[in-house]
């Protein structure tokens, strides 16, 4: 099964915005794949980022990556975070949200394609389409 974390991140993000509050991400900056400005990372390797629509541009809360651009001390920075590195998403004003716990390792990438279609179950013959023309 896929991780439920990216789905919960999107749901909590929408819920925080729907209530007129400011969503913040708490990220494990030392997790694999995290790209955040290092000078804003705390001693315990955490960074808190305001991800409200007025604070970030081109926010994409995907299943595999969270991407956006933001300004840190006036300088633009492209932020890339795997959802497994998100430790919490909460509203700045009241702390309501969700704590996800420790960072998850990113999923293993699929094995490389060996080239060509997998026709082993058809005796090496290409498969015909299962689609039919409807008139």
């Amino acid at each position: 099964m896929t991780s439920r974390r990216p789905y919960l991140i999107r749901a909590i993000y929408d819920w925080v915005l729907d209530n007129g509050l400011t969503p913040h991400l708490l990220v494990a900056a030392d997790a694999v794949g995290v790209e955040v400005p290092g000078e804003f990372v705390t001693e315990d390797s955490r960074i808190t980022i305001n991800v409200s629509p007025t604070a970030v541009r081109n926010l994409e809360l995907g299943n595999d990556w969270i991407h956006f651009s933001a300004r840190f001390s006036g300088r633009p920075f492209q932020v890339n975070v795997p959802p497994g590195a998100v430790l919490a998403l909460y509203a700045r004003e009241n702390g309501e949200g969700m704590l996800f716990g420790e960072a998850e390792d990113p999923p293993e990438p699929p094995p490389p394609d060996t080239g060509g279609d997998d026709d082993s179950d058809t005796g090496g013959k290409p498969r015909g389409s299962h689609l039919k023309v409807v008139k």
Side-chain angles (χ1 to χ4, degrees), residues 35-37 57-58 66-70 72 76-80:
E35 294 177 25
V36 295
R57 298 187 77 171
N58 302 322
I66 297 171
H67 302 286
F68 58 90
S69 58
F72 294 85
F77 195 90
Q78 182 64 36
V79 175
N80 297 299

Side-chain angles (χ1 to χ4, degrees), residues 128-135:
S129 174
H130 67 283
L131 302 175
K132 296 179 183 178
V133 176
V134 177
K135 295 183 181 183

Side-chain angles (χ1 to χ4, degrees), residues 40-75:
F40 298 97
V41 174
T42 62
E43 288 182 17
D44 61 348
S45 299
R46 307 289 188 248
I47 185 170
T48 301
I49 306 170
N50 177 349
V51 289
S52 70
T54 58
V56 299
R57 298 187 77 171
N58 302 322
L59 176 64
E60 182 182 326
L61 298 172
N63 287 348
D64 297 321
W65 288 98
I66 297 171
H67 302 286
F68 58 90
S69 58
R71 297 184 81 73
F72 294 85
S73 293
R75 295 179 311 181

Side-chain angles (χ1 to χ4, degrees), residues 117-130:
D117 294 331
D118 182 16
D119 296 323
S120 58
D121 62 338
T122 60
K125 297 178 187 172
R127 291 182 220 153
S129 174
H130 67 283

Side-chain angles (χ1 to χ4, degrees), residues 1 9 40 74 85 87 94-95:
M1 290 186 64
I9 289 169
F40 298 97
L87 302 175
N94 61 11

